[in-house]
Amino acid sequence: MTFYLSGFRSIPKLWKSNPYFELGPATSSTPFFLCAIGNQQRWFSVKPTTPPNSKALNLLDTKARTHRKGNDNNGQVSSDPHYFAAGAAKKRSHIGANPQNQGHALPVRSSVQLPTKPLNSAEWDKLKEDFKGKASFEDFIISQMARNCCSVDVAKSLLAWVAAKNNGIVGYNLLVKYLYLCVFHKQTSEVIDVYEIMKAKYKSLESGGYTLLIRGLIHSDRWRESLLLLEDIKKVMVPSKKNYGDCIQGALLHQDVNTAWNLYQELIGHNLIPPLETLKAFFDYGKDINDDHYSDKLLDILLYLRNNQLYPGESFAHSIKTWFESGQCSGCGRTIEPIHLSPEEYEFLKEKIMRDVIDGGDQYKKTTPQELKRFESFVNSCPPFDIVIDGLNVAKMFPKGRESQNLLGVVSQLAQQNLQLLVLGRKHMLRPSSQWRKEEMEQVRKQAHCFFADNISEDDPFLLYATLNSGNHCKFITKDLLRDHKACLPDARTQRLFFKWQQGHQLAIMKGFQKSKLTFQHILSYDTVVQRTGDSWHIPYDEDLVQRSSCEVPTKWLCLQRKTPDPC
């Protein structure tokens, strides 16, 4: 069997130095083919794409431009970045921010100038004499050096001066921050020297010291000692995913594949999410070996990404591409999984939400059992709703307008489409005030079913109950991203189904709405997770430099297609 590859644009490696440790700040499509893997020749089609439309995959190397026909969303569809798109939250948080304060880091204030070359004892004495700070001079200087990623040689001269003043003794704090600089600058021999000092002087270290030593040792021929340090950590706590990730990368660097996979399984067994750079390392290693067993494990990693709704970054996506290798095709044309839940998934999620969010969890019980029963009776007495509206939330979306006027504008336009509407509010909205006009609220109540809860009640459980109870067609309107409710759910599968349901049912009103035609952002028609359809893989990935929050999804896709060869 032969596999062919579609074009993959050249991805620049926008890789910025981002140290692992928190002691200082982080610092034309070309066709080609892959050799045989095992006994099969596997050539895959690979190309970065934008999300597909509802008809089929639209493999364009641009930002997401999903176009939908018709009026499925009960209003005009916007072309603005989607509410759940990667980077959208970051952009929203900048609205109204002072542009003069953006992009300017605060200068480091210091009573002394950090040296740029190693100093002798007399020069260090003079620098200390000029120091006016309240902190220890030595601690202050080494901290500033770590923060500014100074030269190892300069820091080494500081430690030599300190040792000469203290009968050869250098404190733990100075050693650890010097070790940080050695690791940052990849000075492996210096890392080993510090390791020998610490091993002789301390029976155990704190977690930061272990983490630095592990990361520093994995690049040396003594990398197996990082595994001993990992065992030391296990005696008192579960190692961090960073500790596991470094040891895995050390094993792969030194071609000990079995140790790497065993550590990976151990990491997963602790319910830790592997660092994406660790998973990337498996693909980077796999590009140079022809082993069906190893290839199967890499496919398992792709399924792991899918099942845990993880997205590779641009560099990771490039590593996946390199493993598959690519040529050229016009696109696979496959239809990927829809965003809508199956009837079985919907009933499963509905039961979980009712039990774990609405009926369970003290953090959500900001209402009384009596009020909840009153709401359940109210919902059961109404026909199924088409749209459930978080009234207070919608009323505050447009700060230039009066709150009751804003709510009435949204309700009136939706009511013109003969939709069954539910407005959820609080009792204070019915008390006439400058923001809540009595006549406008009466118009809202004429055009929609309304339920006004006590002023101390939480809106979201009512919104979730009414929407889910009305059926899979029902949408809801709120700008709340419901992250707390997702976190309340008991397992990864339920959380993934909740987010999938949320993306397919939450309507986002455009901020420009004010007496003009009501405009919604489009609802995604596909599920943004790693997917396999027959011989095709579709992998959403994060672009470099795009900051995506946990409630957002990537807008770029990698398309991998496997085809049978033409007969000879």
Side-chain angles (χ1 to χ4, degrees):
M1 182 176 290
T2 306
F3 302 83
Y4 296 100
L5 290 169
S6 60
F8 191 99
R9 71 176 175 88
S10 175
I11 299 178
K13 191 171 184 180
L14 303 176
W15 194 263
K16 56 182 180 179
S17 180
N18 185 17
Y20 214 68
F21 319 103
E22 299 178 359
L23 293 174
T27 53
S28 82
S29 301
T30 303
F32 38 71
F33 301 97
L34 180 66
C35 59
I37 295 180
N39 295 322
Q40 296 180 328
Q41 274 198 325
R42 304 209 313 173
W43 301 19
F44 283 79
S45 62
V46 185
K47 73 187 313 180
T49 74
T50 55
N53 60 24
S54 58
K55 300 292 185 181
L57 288 174
N58 180 16
L59 305 180
L60 299 175
D61 186 20
T62 58
K63 296 289 185 183
R65 297 196 302 258
T66 304
H67 303 285
R68 296 190 54 171
K69 296 181 179 180
N71 195 20
D72 296 339
N73 291 334
N74 307 309
Q76 183 179 341
V77 176
S78 165
S79 61
D80 285 2
H82 194 269
Y83 204 61
F84 293 104
K90 184 76 174 177
K91 292 176 183 177
R92 288 195 296 271
S93 69
H94 284 170
I95 293 175
N98 184 354
Q100 294 180 347
N101 294 332
Q102 296 180 8
H104 299 285
L106 293 175
V108 176
R109 294 186 177 182
S110 169
S111 57
V112 294
Q113 185 72 31
L114 289 177
T116 57
K117 61 182 181 60
L119 303 184
N120 60 34
S121 182
E123 289 170 327
W124 279 117
D125 287 338
K126 179 65 169 64
L127 202 60
K128 182 174 182 179
E129 185 180 322
D130 295 339
F131 179 65
K132 306 299 182 185
K134 296 181 180 180
S136 160
F137 170 75
E138 294 83 355
D139 286 344
F140 174 82
I141 289 294
I142 196 67
S143 295
Q144 293 301 310
M145 286 181 172
R147 189 167 290 120
N148 291 278
C149 301
C150 289
S151 161
V152 170
D153 290 337
V154 176
K156 193 173 184 178
S157 75
L158 172 68
L159 265 64
W161 173 71
V162 170
K165 296 284 187 181
N166 294 279
N167 299 317
I169 298 174
V170 177
Y172 182 83
N173 184 53
L174 268 66
L175 274 177
V176 167
K177 291 185 178 177
Y178 174 70
L179 175 61
Y180 166 77
L181 287 172
C182 295
V183 172
F184 177 81
H185 291 291
K186 297 183 178 179
Q187 297 290 314
T188 305
S189 61
E190 293 296 325
V191 169
I192 292 175
D193 287 345
V194 176
Y195 172 53
E196 292 294 351
I197 293 170
M198 288 184 158
K199 189 167 61 169
K201 192 172 181 180
Y202 305 105
K203 290 184 177 180
S204 63
L205 308 176
E206 44 75 46
S207 61
Y210 279 122
T211 296
L212 285 167
L213 285 174
I214 289 172
R215 158 113 345 163
L217 287 172
I218 62 172
H219 298 283
S220 74
D221 56 4
R222 297 175 61 177
W223 72 274
R224 288 192 180 277
E225 295 185 56
S226 66
L227 304 180
L228 299 179
L229 295 174
L230 190 71
E231 292 301 318
D232 286 343
I233 297 175
K234 291 179 190 178
K235 294 174 184 177
V236 294
M237 61 188 293
V238 175
S240 71
K241 63 182 182 180
K242 294 180 180 180
N243 298 146
Y244 274 113
D246 283 338
C247 289
I248 289 169
Q249 292 199 56
L252 292 173
L253 282 171
H254 297 277
Q255 300 185 351
D256 189 340
V257 178
N258 290 335
T259 295
W261 284 120
N262 290 339
L263 289 171
Y264 172 74
Q265 291 300 328
E266 194 174 306
L267 185 160
I268 298 297
H270 287 304
N271 291 321
L272 297 174
I273 302 295
L276 291 181
E277 66 181 47
T278 302
L279 301 182
K280 176 182 179 297
F282 280 113
F283 281 89
D284 288 339
Y285 183 83
K287 68 185 179 183
D288 296 321
I289 63 171
N290 299 325
D291 185 303
D292 287 340
H293 183 62
Y294 192 93
S295 298
D296 289 341
K297 288 180 178 291
L298 294 184
L299 294 177
D300 286 341
I301 288 179
L302 293 180
L303 290 175
Y304 179 85
L305 294 175
R306 168 193 168 83
N307 293 337
N308 290 275
Q309 203 155 355
L310 298 175
Y311 305 106
E314 191 164 335
S315 180
F316 186 5
H318 184 77
S319 294
I320 297 171
K321 179 274 288 188
T322 302
W323 176 63
F324 278 108
E325 291 290 352
S326 63
Q328 225 172 12
C329 81
S330 60
C332 68
R334 294 274 186 175
T335 300
I336 64 173
E337 296 177 27
I339 194 68
H340 302 295
L341 273 60
S342 68
E344 295 77 18
E345 289 174 328
Y346 182 81
E347 289 303 319
F348 173 84
L349 178 65
K350 178 179 175 182
E351 180 183 343
K352 290 283 188 179
I353 293 289
M354 297 297 183
R355 186 181 67 195
D356 295 313
V357 174
I358 296 171
D359 294 332
D362 291 339
Q363 66 269 39
Y364 296 99
K365 290 185 177 178
K366 294 183 180 178
T367 184
T368 63
Q370 292 80 11
E371 184 172 54
L372 197 55
K373 282 193 172 293
R374 179 169 72 89
F375 180 67
E376 290 175 357
S377 298
F378 165 80
V379 169
N380 291 332
S381 68
C382 299
F385 304 114
D386 296 308
I387 298 179
V388 178
I389 302 168
D390 183 340
L392 195 57
N393 192 294
V394 167
K396 294 179 181 295
M397 281 185 184
F398 317 104
K400 292 184 179 180
R402 189 169 52 252
E403 292 180 359
S404 57
Q405 180 186 35
N406 293 336
L407 180 59
L408 176 59
V410 172
V411 169
S412 296
Q413 290 204 32
L414 291 174
Q416 291 173 10
Q417 301 178 43
N418 297 318
L419 298 170
Q420 290 290 338
L421 307 177
L422 170 61
V423 174
L424 296 172
R426 297 184 185 175
K427 290 180 177 178
H428 75 82
M429 296 163 64
L430 297 176
R431 291 199 298 268
S433 67
S434 61
Q435 285 295 322
W436 297 100
R437 295 277 181 88
K438 180 179 179 181
E439 62 274 15
E440 289 172 342
M441 291 305 296
E442 286 178 349
Q443 287 297 314
V444 169
R445 299 177 78 175
K446 287 180 180 178
Q447 299 179 80
H449 302 276
C450 296
F451 183 89
F452 297 94
D454 292 336
N455 292 327
I456 62 170
S457 294
E458 177 72 38
D459 294 322
D460 294 344
F462 292 116
L463 181 143
L464 292 172
Y465 179 92
T467 306
L468 286 163
N469 191 71
S470 293
N472 210 354
H473 74 284
C474 184
K475 306 292 192 295
F476 64 93
I477 302 175
T478 180
K479 66 179 181 180
D480 192 324
L481 291 171
L482 308 175
R483 284 174 282 199
D484 291 341
H485 301 286
K486 177 182 173 183
C488 180
L489 295 169
D491 54 74
R493 182 199 174 200
T494 308
Q495 291 180 5
R496 192 180 84 79
L497 287 177
F498 178 81
F499 187 49
K500 183 176 179 179
W501 172 80
Q502 181 186 2
Q503 291 179 84
H505 292 79
Q506 184 166 356
L507 297 173
I509 300 175
M510 298 307 300
K511 291 188 178 296
F513 167 72
Q514 189 72 35
K515 294 185 178 180
S516 59
K517 184 173 178 61
L518 186 61
T519 305
F520 291 107
Q521 289 188 339
H522 67 273
I523 286 184
L524 299 176
S525 60
Y526 49 84
D527 193 8
T528 309
V529 291
V530 175
Q531 301 186 20
R532 182 180 184 180
T533 307
D535 291 333
S536 294
W537 282 87
H538 297 94
I539 303 168
Y541 67 92
D542 283 326
E543 291 182 273
D544 287 342
L545 307 182
V546 172
Q547 297 184 31
R548 179 178 57 81
S549 74
S550 61
C551 60
E552 296 173 341
V553 295
T555 60
K556 299 296 276 291
W557 289 71
L558 187 66
C559 173
L560 310 172
Q561 185 186 12
R562 185 174 66 180
K563 292 182 178 179
T564 55
D566 295 331
C568 297

